[in-house]
Amino acid sequence: MFRTFSRLALAAFAALSLAAPATAAETATPWSLAVHGGAGVLERGELTPEKDKAYRAGLNAALEAGAKVLKAGGSSLDAVEAAVRVLEDNPLFNAGKGAVFTAEGRNELDAAIMDGATLKAGAVAGVTRTRNPISLARAVMEKSPHVLLAREGADQFSKEKGLEQAPPEYFYTEERWKQLLAWRKDHQAALDPTHLFGTVGAVAMDQAGHIAAATSTGGMTGKRWARIGDSPIIGAGTYARDGVCAVSATGSGEYFIRESAARQVCDRVAWKGETIQQAADGTMASITKIGGDGGLIAIDGQGHVAFGMNDLGMYRGAISSAAPTPRTAIYADEPSPR
Ligand code: ASP
């Protein structure tokens, strides 16, 4: 009896010691993050190798900033804010520093953030003085009883709450100015139909299983009449609900508003039982049907990410406890990171 036991014990020990040690990724409590840097019409070969590298480096830096928060056990809300701030500070993207110009040659910034755990949300539209509009959106959520503040009022709230202010010149970049000049020559329409890339966003699940979404943009080149797009509209460009999904969208905002795009993804998951990828694709199909274009990133309650788009490209990336090296993609026919 004793001998049988000890043989069994030995065999068990041998099996244990032969088994490959669990990797850090396998033992870690799951967390997950995806980011985007805008969608649009971008043919392969249009980007120089240097530009391609620079965009991917920008996405990687955002993924790393968010992952640092999540790895350390921080909240999904902190992670999406950290990732979006990095993209706002990067002149390549149409948010914060690299925002596009309005018809009058100004920069008017929109941003939103939503906490899936509490369904609290904050957003700002048409702000002109805040270096990181995503942090201002978060301040609206946490330090005011409101969800959406706009223009002068939002600028004033930003100052009162002590957010970092930037002079109008801070938001000037030569490339965006040239885009405005080109727009002035070619279009005199209210909107730029071939809208240019660069809105940024992030969705994340933290180790506690909470999810959050954040989006920030300069809107569209040549916008006027205080036009506001989908990004700061909760349920259109940004949405998060624990256990269901979190979404950040990019594209021709008017269409995303009309299809309640971000909320639609979540409703498809909650009410139709679609997977997050089916919900992302189904929502993009509804945008396509009414003539809109762009893309979105989404994450479900288990941290699976999905990318949906009907454009030729979307700057995008992902990182997770299971795949802790940042991965990026740009073109639609390039496999999206999971
Ligand atoms: N969705 C943004 C807007 O309509 C623009 C974009 O994502 O490119 O303001």
Side-chain angles (χ1 to χ4, degrees):
M1 169 80 173
F2 175 71
R3 219 182 282 154
T4 319
F5 172 77
S6 55
R7 226 182 287 137
L8 279 176
L10 258 180
F13 177 74
L16 270 180
S17 53
L18 279 178
T23 63
E26 281 162 358
T27 53
T29 311
W31 54 264
S32 183
L33 169 73
V35 300
H36 72 79
V41 181
L42 182 75
E43 304 276 359
R44 265 196 192 271
E46 233 174 87
L47 281 181
T48 61
E50 295 74 44
K51 268 263 166 98
D52 187 289
K53 230 168 122 186
Y55 276 109
R56 288 178 199 268
L59 293 168
N60 281 341
L63 288 167
E64 268 155 15
K68 193 171 162 203
V69 173
L70 296 168
K71 263 186 222 163
S75 71
S76 51
L77 203 59
D78 285 344
V80 293
E81 183 186 2
V84 166
R85 281 180 67 101
V86 167
L87 295 167
E88 284 178 338
D89 288 345
N90 186 330
L92 286 176
F93 297 99
N94 172 19
K97 169 76 186 141
V100 296
F101 286 93
T102 65
E104 294 83 21
R106 288 157 47 91
N107 305 100
E108 297 178 358
L109 314 167
D110 304 337
I113 193 163
M114 185 157 182
D115 179 9
T118 58
L119 292 188
K120 285 188 177 162
V124 289
V127 297
T128 60
R129 291 274 174 169
T130 305
R131 176 176 166 151
N132 291 108
I134 198 63
S135 297
L136 181 56
R138 185 159 179 185
V140 171
M141 177 173 97
E142 291 176 341
K143 297 179 180 157
S144 90
H146 307 299
V147 169
L148 174 59
L149 299 183
R151 298 178 72 80
E152 294 78 11
D155 281 340
Q156 186 187 330
F157 177 80
S158 175
K159 258 202 255 164
E160 280 175 25
K161 296 298 169 193
L163 278 106
E164 186 177 346
Q165 303 294 294
E169 313 82 77
Y170 167 77
F171 300 102
Y172 174 89
T173 58
E174 203 187 329
E175 186 152 351
R176 296 299 185 198
W177 187 252
K178 280 190 189 150
Q179 286 170 358
L180 175 66
L181 298 183
W183 174 86
R184 279 183 179 159
K185 224 163 55 188
D186 297 349
H187 312 89
Q188 281 302 323
L191 293 175
D192 173 8
T194 58
H195 71 92
L196 295 154
F197 287 92
T199 291
V200 307
V203 293
M205 183 190 77
D206 61 29
Q207 293 192 33
H210 298 306
I211 57 179
T215 313
S216 182
T217 187
M220 289 187 170
T221 300
K223 66 183 182 181
R224 59 167 81 140
W225 307 311
R227 178 264 184 191
I228 294 165
D230 60 319
S231 310
I233 308 294
I234 298 303
T238 309
Y239 196 76
R241 179 184 286 263
D242 264 14
V244 182
C245 88
V247 179
S248 171
T250 172
S252 46
E254 282 66 14
Y255 297 88
F256 284 73
I257 294 172
R258 288 157 58 191
E259 274 293 348
S260 305
R263 174 68 195 244
Q264 183 183 142
V265 176
C266 297
D267 288 350
R268 283 172 173 272
V269 172
W271 298 345
K272 287 184 88 181
E274 291 186 351
T275 65
I276 196 72
Q277 188 63 55
Q278 287 168 339
D281 291 341
T283 302
M284 285 313 302
S286 71
I287 302 274
T288 308
K289 213 165 156 187
I290 60 166
D293 76 294
L296 56 86
I297 57 172
I299 194 167
D300 69 12
Q302 289 73 48
H304 303 116
V305 300
F307 299 85
M309 76 196 87
N310 67 358
D311 266 331
L312 290 178
M314 176 166 73
Y315 296 106
R316 59 201 188 277
I319 189 167
S320 67
S321 51
T325 309
R327 288 147 303 126
T328 60
I330 297 178
Y331 303 100
D333 58 6
E334 198 178 333
S336 287
R338 298 283 156 204

